[in-house]
C-alpha cells in the first residue's frame, strides 16, 4: 500500500506538490495524471527517495520513506524518468548489482535475471555493455531492474516513454500481466489511453493539488462532454453548422472536411440520439457518425481547464 | 505482491553493502581508458626517469680513472674533525657514493697509499642545510683528508662509484605526487557529480542503499584504482632501483605510506569538489587545477615570502620525495643577487597530520553534501 499524507514540496516560491493526500490500496493499479509541471514526477521522486519533502508524510507498505528510506525502498521497484545505467556494465551485471544490494543470493539473481530478460526481450543483449543500448532498450531494462527483487510495490514514471509503438504495447501488456499478479502499481503517464486501458483507478493533479481520484469507471461518468463525428451526404454548409450550434446542449461544432463535422455536446448517451434526430430534422441526410475522444481525455481536459 | 504475500528477504547490513558497491564501482575503472592511461603514464614516467639521466650523460654507476682532485689547505678552513688529527689538506669527490675498496689516490701519477690512514683517509660528510640532490644540491660529500703536506703535488683518484639508493629513490619518488593528483582527477573528480549529471542516480538512489554506504563504496573504489597506479609506480621504482644501484632506500616503504595518505586526502578533496559542482567537466578541471596550479602557487609564494604554510596539502605531499633523504633536509634561507629565497620542507609528522586532516574533513563534508544533494534535474 502507498499512502501519501499532506505532502508538500516547494522549490523556492514554487509549490510543486501542494498538500497532496492519496492512498493506493494493495494490489491496485493507479494512474497518476496531470499536465507538465503538475507535480507528478516530484511526487514520485519523493516516494522513491530521490528528493526530500518540505512537509507531509509518505509511506510505502507502512514504512515512512522520509524517515526509513532503506527499509521503505526494499519493498519497491521503481522506474523514474528513464534512468541511465552504468555504461560499463552489462544487463546481467546491473541486475546482479541491484539484486545483491537487496540481499538476493546468486542462484536467485540468476533465475530472476533469466526470467526478466526473457520477459523484456533483452536476452540476446544480456552480455553486451549497456553503453551501446538505445533508449528503448534501456527503458525495457529499467522495467526488468524494477522487478528483480520481486517487490510488492511498483512505482513507474512514464513507463512507455521513449519506446516505439510496438515497445509501448509490449510494456502495457507487461503491466497488465503484473497487475494480474496483484502488484500494487502507481504509474504516472501523459497517455490517457494507456491509463484507461491499464489502470483500475486514476488520480489527477494539477499545480501540485489533487483534483480527483477515483476508479476509471467513475471518472468516465464524471465526463460532462462528449464528441461525435458526423458525416452527411453532400456538403455541410456553414448555415447548417450554425443551426446545429444553436441546438440544445451543443457546445461547439467544428468542420473536419467538406461533409464531416465534429459536434461537442453535453449530456448522456440519450442526448446523442436526440442530437442526431435534431440534425436529421434540419433536412440533412446523415451517412455516418462515430463518437470521438476518450471519456477520460474529456474529463482530463475539463478538470484541468477548471483548475486553471 | 500482496496476493502471494512473499516474505521479505533480509537486507544486508550497511557495512556489508559497501563491498558490493565497491566491486561494481571498481569495474568502472578497470574497464575504462582512465586506468589504461594511468598505467601508460606510470610506464612512461619510469622509462623516462630511468633512461634520460644516462642518455644525457649521467649514468647511475661507473668507474672514474685518474680524476683530478682539488686539494685545499685545511688550516685555512679553520675547522676540526672529531676523533681525527688535524689534516693538512682536504679534497672532494663529487659523486653520490664511491666504493672505498676501489679508491686509489695518486700523487703526480704515482699511487699514493693510504698507509692505514696515516697518508690519507676517506669519509662521507652530510649537510642537512643543503637542498636535496635531485634538486641540484649536494647534501652529501665524499671527502679525502690528507694527513701529510702535499702542497704543489697533482692529486688524482680512481674509484668505482654509483648513485645512492636515496638519491635514486628521491629522484623517482618526487614524481609520485603528480601520479596521485592524476589518480584523484581520473578516479574521483566525477564520482559524485556523475551520478546526477549522467542520471545514474535514478537507478541507484531508489534502492535500499543509504547515501553514505554508496559514498563509501564509491570512495573505496576510487582509492583502490588510485592504489593500483601507485603500487605499480613504487614496484617499478623498486625494480629499477635494484637494477641500477643494487638496493632500495630504507625509507622507501615510509615514502609509500605517505603516498597512500596523500592519495586518501587528494581523493577526499576531489570528492568534495565533486559534491559541490554540477558538472563532471568542471569538477575534473577544478580538481586538477587545485593540485597542479592553485596550491603549488601558494607553496611557491610561501617560499618567496618566507612564510612556511604547513596547511597546504601539496606542500605536505612533498614529504613523499624528501622522506628518503638522510638526514632529512632542514629549512634554509639564501640571500643571493639581492633576493631572499627560502627552502621549506614539511616536518614528516606535520605532513602526516595535514594529510589526515584534509582526508577526514573533506570526506565528512562531501558525505554530508552528497546526502543532502537532490536529484531534481
Amino acid at each position: 500500500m502507498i499512502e501519501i499524507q499532506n505532502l508538500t514540496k516547494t522549490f523556492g516560491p514554487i509549490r510543486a506538490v501542494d498538500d497532496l493526500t492519496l492512498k493506493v490500496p494493495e494490489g491496485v493499479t493507479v494512474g497518476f495524471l496531470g499536465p507538465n509541471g503538475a507535480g507528478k514526477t516530484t511526487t514520485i521522486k519523493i516516494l522513491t527517495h530521490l528528493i526530500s519533502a518540505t512537509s507531509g508524510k509518505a509511506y510505502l507498505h507502512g514504512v515512512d520513506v522520509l524517515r526509513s528510506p532503506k527499509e521503505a525502498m526494499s519493498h519497491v521497484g521503481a522506474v523514474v524518468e528513464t534512468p541511465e545505467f552504468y555504461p560499463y556494465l552489462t544487463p546481467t551485471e546491473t541486475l546482479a548489482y541491484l539484486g545483491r544490494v537487496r540481499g538476493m543470493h546468486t542462484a536467485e539473481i540468476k533465475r530472476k535475471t533469466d526470467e526478466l530478460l526473457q520477459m523484456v526481450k533483452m536476452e540476446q543483449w544480456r552480455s553486451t555493455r549497456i553503453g551501446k543500448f538505445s533508449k528503448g532498450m534501456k527503458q525495457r531494462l529499467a522495467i526488468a531492474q524494477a522487478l528483480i527483487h520481486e517487490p510488492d510495490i511498483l512505482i513507474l514514471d512514464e513507463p512507455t516513454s521513449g519506446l516505439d509503438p510496438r515497445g509501448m504495447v509490449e510494456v502495457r501488456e507487461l503491466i497488465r500481466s503484473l497487475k494480474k499478479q496483484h502488484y500494487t502499481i502507481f504509474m504516472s503517464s501523459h497517455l490517457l489511453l494507456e491509463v484507461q486501458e491499464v489502470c483500475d483507478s486514476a488520480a489527477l493533479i494539477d499545480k501540485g493539488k489533487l483534483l480527483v481520484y477515483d476508479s476509471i469507471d467513475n471518472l468516465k461518468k464524471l465526463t460532462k462532454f462528449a464528441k461525435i463525428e458526423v458525416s452527411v451526404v453532400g456538403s455541410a454548409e456553414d448555415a447548417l453548422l450554425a443551426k446545429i450550434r444553436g441546438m440544445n446542449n451543443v457546445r461547439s461544432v467544428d468542420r473536419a472536411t467538406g461533409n464531416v463535422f465534429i459536434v461537442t455536446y453535453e449530456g448522456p448517451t440519450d442526448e446523442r440520439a436526440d442530437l442526431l434526430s435534431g440534425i436529421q430534422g434540419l433536412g440533412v441526410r446523415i451517412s455516418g457518425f462515430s463518437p470521438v475522444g476518450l471519456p477520460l481525455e474529456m474529463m482530463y481536459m475539463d478538470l484541468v481547464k477548471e483548475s486553471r | 505482491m500482496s496476493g502471494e504475500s512473499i516474505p521479505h528477504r533480509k537486507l544486508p547490513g550497511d557495512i556489508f553493502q559497501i563491498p558490493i558497491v565497491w566491486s561494481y564501482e571498481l569495474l568502472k575503472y578497470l574497464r575504462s581508458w582512465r586506468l589504461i592511461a594511468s598505467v601508460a603514464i606510470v610506464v612512461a614516467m619510469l622509462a623516462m626517469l630511468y633512461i634520460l639521466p644516462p642518455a644525457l650523460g649521467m649514468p647511475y654507476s661507473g668507474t672514474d680513472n685518474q680524476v683530478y682532485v682539488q686539494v685545499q689547505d685545511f688550516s685555512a678552513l679553520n675547522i676540526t674533525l672529531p676523533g681525527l688529527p688535524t689534516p693538512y689538506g682536504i679534497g672532494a669527490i663529487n659523486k653520490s657514493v664511491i666504493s672505498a675498496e676501489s679508491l686509489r689516490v695518486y700523487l703526480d701519477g704515482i699511487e699514493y697509499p693510504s698507509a692505514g690512514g696515516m697518508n690519507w683517509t676517506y669519509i662521507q660528510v652530510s649537510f642537512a642545510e643543503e637542498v636535496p640532490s635531485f634538486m641540484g644540491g649536494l647534501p652529501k660529500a665524499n671527502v679525502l683528508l690528507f694527513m701529510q703536506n702535499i702542497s704543489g703535488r697533482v692529486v688524482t683518484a680512481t674509484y668505482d662509484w654509483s648513485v645512492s639508493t636515496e638519491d635514486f629513490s628521491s629522484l623517482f619518488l618526487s614524481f609520485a605526487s603528480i601520479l596521485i593528483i592524476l589518480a584523484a582527477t581520473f578516479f574521483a573528480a566525477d564520482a559524485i557529480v556523475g551520478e546526477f549529471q549522467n542520471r545514474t542516480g535514478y537507478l541507484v538512489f531508489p534502492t535500499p542503499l543509504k547515501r553514505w554506504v554508496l559514498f563509501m563504496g564509491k570512495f573505496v573504489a576510487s582509492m583502490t584504482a588510485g592504489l593500483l597506479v601507485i603500487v605499480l609506480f613504487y614496484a617499478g621504482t623498486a625494480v629499477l632501483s635494484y637494477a641500477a644501484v643494487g638496493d632500495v632506500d630504507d625509507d622507501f616503504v615510509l615514502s609509500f605510506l605517505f603516498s597512500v595518505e596523500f592519495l586518501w586526502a587528494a581523493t577526499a578533496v576531489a570528492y568534495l569538489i565533486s559534491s559541490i559542482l554540477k558538472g563532471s567537466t568542471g569538477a575534473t578541471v577544478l580538481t586538477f587545477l587545485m593540485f597542479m596550479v592553485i596550491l603549488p602557487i601558494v607553496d611557491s609564494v610561501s617560499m618567496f615570502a618566507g612564510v612556511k604554510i604547513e596547511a597546504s596539502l601539496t606542500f605536505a605531499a612533498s614529504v613523499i620525495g624528501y622522506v628518503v633523504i638522510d638526514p632529512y633536509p632542514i629549512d634554509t634561507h639564501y640571500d643571493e643577487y639581492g633576493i631572499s629565497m627560502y627552502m621549506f620542507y614539511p616536518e614528516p609528522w606535520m605532513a602526516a597530520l595535514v594529510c589526515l586532516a584534509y582526508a577526514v574533513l573533506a570526506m565528512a563534508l562531501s558525505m554530508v553534501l552528497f546526502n543532502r544533494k537532490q536529484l531534481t534535474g
Side-chain angles (χ1 to χ4, degrees):
Chain A
M1 186 175 70
I2 302 170
E3 194 170 355
I4 298 169
Q5 293 175 356
N6 308 107
L7 197 68
T8 297
K9 176 68 182 179
T10 57
F11 295 103
I14 300 165
R15 289 178 87 83
V17 179
D18 191 358
D19 201 28
L20 183 69
T21 296
L22 190 72
K23 193 185 274 188
V24 180
E26 278 188 31
V28 172
T29 300
V30 173
F32 197 36
L33 298 170
N36 285 335
K40 302 187 300 292
T41 299
T42 303
T43 305
I44 282 180
K45 282 183 175 178
I46 294 170
L47 281 175
T48 51
H49 188 49
L50 290 167
I51 59 174
S52 61
T54 306
S55 63
K57 301 271 185 192
Y59 297 95
L60 297 171
H61 236 34
V63 182
D64 191 336
V65 180
L66 305 168
R67 286 196 170 187
S68 309
K70 180 173 178 176
E71 198 190 341
M73 285 300 115
S74 67
H75 306 291
V76 177
V79 178
V80 187
E81 287 205 354
T82 311
E84 275 301 327
F85 292 84
Y86 296 114
Y88 52 89
L89 296 180
T90 65
T92 308
E93 288 165 344
T94 301
L95 296 179
Y97 179 16
L98 299 172
R100 286 181 64 194
V101 297
R102 289 173 164 115
M104 292 175 73
H105 297 295
T106 308
E108 193 184 4
I109 289 171
K110 190 181 177 312
R111 178 182 60 77
K112 282 301 291 180
T113 298
D114 292 346
E115 183 188 307
L116 288 169
L117 291 181
Q118 190 173 21
M119 187 178 83
V120 298
K121 297 183 171 61
M122 293 289 292
E123 260 187 318
Q124 61 176 315
W125 308 104
R126 61 185 303 144
S127 301
T128 306
R129 290 196 195 164
I130 300 168
K132 295 170 183 167
F133 285 9
S134 68
K135 193 179 178 190
M137 291 163 84
K138 287 177 187 171
Q139 188 71 359
R140 281 188 278 164
L141 185 58
I143 291 170
Q145 65 80 27
L147 297 169
I148 183 74
H149 55 300
E150 299 176 320
D152 303 301
I153 298 169
L154 271 179
I155 298 176
L156 309 172
D157 183 26
E158 310 279 354
T160 55
S161 167
L163 297 177
D164 58 20
R166 188 179 155 192
M168 289 166 92
V169 170
E170 284 171 359
V171 168
R172 274 182 216 140
E173 282 171 5
L174 182 64
I175 296 170
R176 277 196 206 98
S177 76
L178 295 171
K179 197 174 144 184
K180 284 178 194 159
Q181 296 172 54
H182 300 286
Y183 277 93
T184 304
I185 303 174
F186 187 57
M187 59 175 269
S188 76
S189 179
H190 282 300
L191 304 174
L192 300 175
L193 176 65
E194 187 170 275
V195 171
Q196 192 171 310
E197 282 184 358
V198 170
C199 299
D200 303 309
S201 303
L204 175 61
I205 67 165
D206 191 25
K207 296 179 182 172
K209 283 183 178 294
L210 184 68
L211 300 181
V212 65
Y213 176 35
D214 210 334
S215 69
I216 297 290
D217 289 340
N218 285 343
L219 288 174
K220 285 179 186 172
K221 288 176 194 163
L222 280 178
T223 308
K224 291 180 191 169
F225 298 99
K227 282 185 181 181
I228 185 169
E229 187 181 83
V230 182
S231 306
V232 296
V233 177
S235 172
E237 303 294 338
D238 287 344
L240 171 70
L241 300 187
K243 282 180 187 170
I244 296 170
R245 276 188 201 104
M247 291 172 71
N248 275 349
N249 298 322
V250 171
R251 281 298 177 97
S252 66
V253 180
D254 301 296
R255 184 189 299 281
T257 61
N259 66 331
V260 180
F261 54 90
I262 294 167
V263 183
T264 305
Y265 64 98
E266 190 175 342
T269 312
D270 292 354
E271 203 60 49
R272 188 166 72 202
D274 292 343
L275 177 69
L276 290 169
S277 301
I279 294 171
Q280 278 187 313
L282 295 171
V284 182
R285 292 169 66 199
I286 295 174
S287 59
F289 68 92
S290 61
V292 292
L294 298 162
L296 204 57
E297 187 177 70
M298 305 298 287
M299 179 278 298
Y300 175 92
M301 297 303 292
D302 206 21
L303 285 174
V304 169
K305 196 190 290 177
E306 274 178 21
S307 81
R308 293 192 168 210
Chain B
M1 289 177 285
S2 62
E4 296 173 24
S5 65
I6 291 171
H8 284 110
R9 64 181 64 79
K10 195 173 182 300
L11 284 174
D14 296 336
I15 298 294
F16 295 102
Q17 284 177 320
I18 293 173
I20 299 171
V21 176
W22 166 81
S23 62
Y24 287 94
E25 278 290 321
L26 189 59
L27 281 178
K28 174 162 83 179
Y29 305 121
L30 295 178
R31 291 176 176 177
S32 76
W33 62 267
R34 302 179 200 198
L35 191 65
I36 297 166
S38 302
V39 170
I41 290 168
V42 169
V43 172
M45 275 175 71
L46 290 172
M48 285 172 70
L49 287 169
Y50 190 69
I51 293 166
L52 272 182
L56 296 173
M58 291 182 67
Y60 295 112
S61 62
T63 302
D64 284 354
N65 284 307
Q66 301 279 350
V67 175
Y68 175 69
V69 180
Q70 187 175 6
V71 180
Q72 287 185 294
D73 181 356
F74 194 83
S75 59
L77 297 175
N78 196 27
I79 53 176
T80 55
L81 296 169
L84 287 173
T86 304
Y88 279 90
I90 184 169
I93 297 171
N94 186 17
K95 288 294 176 191
S96 185
V97 174
I98 63 171
S99 159
E101 292 77 31
S102 68
L103 181 62
R104 301 282 182 274
V105 177
Y106 301 88
L107 290 182
D108 298 327
I110 299 164
E111 186 169 351
Y112 183 47
S114 170
M118 296 303 290
N119 289 334
W120 59 267
T121 190
Y122 158 74
I123 59 169
Q124 194 174 57
V125 183
S126 298
F127 304 100
E129 296 86 353
E130 264 288 345
V131 295
S133 60
F134 73 91
M135 294 165 69
L138 198 66
K140 285 190 174 64
N142 298 295
V143 173
L144 287 173
L145 298 173
F146 294 93
M147 307 307 174
Q148 311 295 330
N149 187 353
I150 54 166
S151 56
R153 313 285 294 272
V154 176
V155 180
T156 54
T158 295
Y159 49 85
D160 295 335
W161 63 270
S162 65
V163 169
S164 69
T165 55
E166 70 177 55
D167 282 352
F168 187 90
S169 294
S170 59
L171 170 67
F172 278 66
L173 301 182
S174 61
F175 290 91
S177 57
I178 292 176
L179 272 180
I180 293 166
I181 291 164
L182 283 178
T185 307
F186 282 168
F187 306 131
D190 68 344
I192 299 294
V193 70
E195 294 288 0
F196 295 85
Q197 193 184 21
N198 302 332
R199 300 163 62 84
T200 45
Y202 285 112
L203 182 73
V204 289
F205 295 164
T207 60
L209 273 175
K210 289 179 182 168
R211 288 274 181 103
W212 75 265
V213 171
L214 192 58
F215 179 96
M216 285 306 297
K218 292 170 82 68
F219 192 90
V220 179
S222 297
M223 281 286 291
T224 308
L227 263 178
L228 287 174
V229 174
I230 303 305
V231 165
L232 181 66
F233 179 74
Y234 271 81
T237 301
V239 169
L240 294 176
S241 182
Y242 272 110
V245 295
D247 203 353
V248 291
D249 191 80
D250 52 357
D251 292 319
F252 192 78
V253 174
L254 189 59
S255 170
F256 175 73
L257 293 176
F258 273 114
S259 283
V260 173
E261 197 190 14
F262 179 50
L263 176 68
W264 180 21
T267 304
V269 171
Y271 265 66
L272 179 59
I273 291 170
S274 191
S275 304
I276 294 168
L277 296 197
K278 290 186 174 175
S280 295
T281 308
T284 305
V285 171
L286 183 58
T287 300
F288 189 72
L289 289 181
M290 175 68 76
F291 290 111
M292 294 300 279
V293 178
I294 299 168
L295 288 175
I297 286 175
V298 172
D299 300 341
S300 299
V301 171
S302 80
M303 299 222 183
F304 189 75
V307 179
K308 190 174 181 179
I309 303 176
E310 300 262 23
S312 164
L313 184 55
T314 44
F315 177 69
S318 62
V319 75
I320 294 167
Y322 295 139
V323 77
V324 292
I325 297 167
D326 283 321
Y328 192 83
I330 58 173
D331 297 344
T332 49
H333 170 224
Y334 301 94
D335 282 308
E336 283 185 12
Y337 310 111
I339 299 171
S340 292
M341 276 303 292
Y342 296 83
M343 289 300 299
F344 294 133
Y345 306 94
E347 290 297 329
W349 67 269
M350 178 60 89
L353 204 64
V354 167
C355 286
L356 184 68
Y358 270 91
V360 172
L361 291 176
M363 265 186 91
L365 199 53
S366 50
M367 209 183 288
V368 169
L369 290 172
F370 181 45
N371 207 35
R372 292 166 62 96
K373 207 163 184 172
Q374 304 199 12
L375 196 44
T376 52

